[in-house]
Amino acid sequence: MDDKGGAGTGTGTTGDADGGRAGEVGGAGGGGRNPFEELLAEGAAVPTEGWDFSWFEGRATEARPSWGYAMSLAARLAGASAALDVQTGGGEVLDFALGRAAPKAPALTVATEGWPANVARATALLRPRGIAVVATAQDAPLPFADGAFDLVSSRHPVRPLWHEIARVLRPGGTYFAQHVGPRSVFELVEYFLGPQPQEVSSSRHPDRERAEAEAAGLEVVELRAERLRVEFHDIAAVVHFLRKVVWMVPGFTVEAHRPRLLALHERIEADGPFVAHSARHLVEARRR
């Protein structure tokens, strides 16, 4: 279950690089144990580095977008000569796509990432492919020359820097990305935070992003949006998700949110999975 973005981003298990559907899970055991406390401890103990969400297998599910981003990216990489992947996370999606693009992968591929733990993880994964991962803050200018790339990609950027994307693309070059859309997993966000103001809940709208891309000198040639069902099957999955995607519920800790976590645990035990909906949109744009 993966998401990068502002309040209102989504989730997803990863069977392949695009993610797969996880299975069902059973209830916790008894015998004098406290299932709630055990699940809290489990969710709090799982490492949060990288964007490999395979731990959620069997504990949370997300329907995947119909376009199959990683495979579509592979096809575009196969036709590129110089590619940049922005905010690559742990490098998992780029690694998968390059593997599928081989032997027609670009002669030059570079990635950026801002979170130090992910920089180390992506470097370890992508170095064998000869790919450099450049540590770059998510809101900083891209450290590359004008017109350096004919393909720029990004999966779930926190915020696309449209003018920077346009600057590093060659004329006729392509930006290809999957973005998180508005009100993504807001059922969970608002469960903990209450109703969110309009400016928060409507941010990241694809129509707004189209206008911003065009203002930066890009021509949007494809823009597709989908809302997808997300299910959390136990409270450990909720805890791990909120620890991993820290901007969903800013300042989240188990202790500070214990009463709401207990209520949600009891709700899941009684009624089944907590259901939310993620928002995704596919963007393809060309540099004029």
Side-chain angles (χ1 to χ4, degrees), residues 106-170:
L108 171 68
T109 302
V110 184
T112 68
E113 174 56 31
W115 190 24
N118 276 351
V119 172
R121 185 183 181 99
T123 297
L125 180 63
L126 297 173
R127 183 188 289 120
R129 295 191 182 276
I131 297 169
V133 179
V134 182
T136 307
Q138 65 192 30
D139 56 352
L142 294 171
F144 307 106
D146 296 0
F149 304 99
D150 55 356
L151 175 66
V152 175
S153 60
S154 191
R155 184 174 183 264
H156 302 179
V158 174
R159 182 172 65 89
L161 300 179
W162 293 110
H163 283 88
E164 282 297 291
I165 292 166
R167 181 183 64 78
V168 301
L169 275 172
R170 299 168 184 167

Side-chain angles (χ1 to χ4, degrees), residues 25-58:
V25 297
R33 296 158 50 200
N34 186 326
F36 173 64
E37 295 296 338
E38 291 179 357
L39 289 168
L40 286 188
E42 185 177 1
V46 183
T48 58
E49 292 82 4
W51 290 105
D52 176 3
F53 286 70
S54 58
W55 179 87
F56 288 99
E57 188 90 18

Side-chain angles (χ1 to χ4, degrees), residues 87-110:
Q87 297 181 31
T88 196
E92 297 90 352
V93 175
L94 178 60
D95 181 67
F96 173 88
L98 285 168
R100 292 302 180 97
K104 298 180 179 181
L108 171 68
T109 302
V110 184

Side-chain angles (χ1 to χ4, degrees), residues 5-28:
T9 60
T11 62
T13 58
T14 54
D16 59 18
D18 267 335
R21 301 264 328 163
E24 299 292 331
V25 297

